[in-house]
Amino acid sequence: MLRFTLHALIVIVLTLLTQIGGIAYLLALAAARAVGTRRFPARLALFLLLYAGASFAASLAAPAFGRVPLSCLSDAADRLVVRSPIYCALNRNYVTSEVRDLAKALAAHMDQQFPGTVTVALDANFPFLNGFPLLPHLSHDDGRKLDFAYYYKDADGNFLNGVTRSPIGYFAFEEPAAGDELPCAGRNDWLTTRWDFDALQPLFPAYRIEEQRTSAAIAWLTTEGVTRFRLEKIFIEPHLKNTLGITDAHVRFQGCRAARHDDHIHIQVE
């Protein structure tokens, strides 16, 4: 019974993390039993092999479900990059073709306006099934959502191309200043993903948002993104919206139960 519970727990965790990892794990268990091996290295190798095969198959099958992968393989000429290979390894890099085209068009615009600028994509969606949660996000469940990293500069004001404050682009927050708008001040929600990760903040470099490029990207999203790609909304924190002087109604606050958005820009299309 304990072994069954452990296997079930592993299947659940792998499914929540990767969508298809649980299936690959079950296939690996069956394959290990079929070849008669109990050795952990052999079982792990079987799982990794089957998971890699399942992930490749998912990339081929996803277009039939209305989603396409953003590539994690980039070279020096690419202006749209996914922050880390871990997003592709966990199958979190899938979007609708319209969102993919929007992301590429945004990157091309930023490169045209600020030559050489790289636009960094973060979490997207899983390859299959509308409504399947991409934890810890509350809404990345239908291919229509994508997160972008902010553009950053160092303490001397020098632009840092393709760089983020954290290794995965998340959880390094832009802290509000005294007097900034704080819509969630005083709340103590127990069911929330609005985590501050205070202990992590000193570990990140003291980069700041590069206002010129970030403002230009949001201006493009709220104009060309809306008219050409049916962009519906953008989430950033109110204190950053005010600091950047953004007044467009497409830029909204995501609510106090969702994750903070002063470490990334969330966009979604209709």
Side-chain angles (χ1 to χ4, degrees), residues 190-248:
W190 67 272
L191 184 60
T192 181
T193 57
R194 190 177 176 84
W195 306 313
D196 291 330
F197 293 108
D198 291 332
L200 292 180
Q201 302 312 302
L203 304 178
F204 300 124
Y207 304 153
R208 298 306 303 269
I209 287 178
E210 203 283 318
E211 299 91 343
Q212 190 176 16
R213 286 173 173 80
T214 300
S215 296
I218 294 175
W220 184 92
L221 288 167
T222 56
T223 52
E224 291 291 311
V226 172
T227 58
R228 291 174 54 190
F229 301 101
R230 299 185 302 150
L231 182 138
E232 182 180 22
K233 62 182 72 171
I234 301 169
F235 292 153
I236 66 173
E237 288 295 311
H239 73 89
L240 282 183
K241 179 178 179 179
N242 296 336
T243 298
L244 295 170
I246 299 167
T247 58
D248 191 279

Side-chain angles (χ1 to χ4, degrees), residues 89-141:
L90 298 179
N91 299 300
R92 303 169 73 94
N93 60 314
Y94 287 83
V95 293
T96 64
S97 58
E98 190 167 43
V99 174
R100 176 200 59 193
D101 293 344
L102 180 153
K104 289 183 175 181
L106 170 63
H109 168 77
M110 294 301 294
D111 180 42
Q112 183 179 34
Q113 189 164 354
F114 305 95
T117 293
V118 170
T119 296
V120 179
L122 305 175
D123 261 337
N125 309 261
F126 284 133
F128 309 117
L129 300 177
N130 287 349
F132 193 100
L134 186 89
L135 299 177
H137 303 279
L138 300 182
S139 65
H140 288 235
D141 61 0

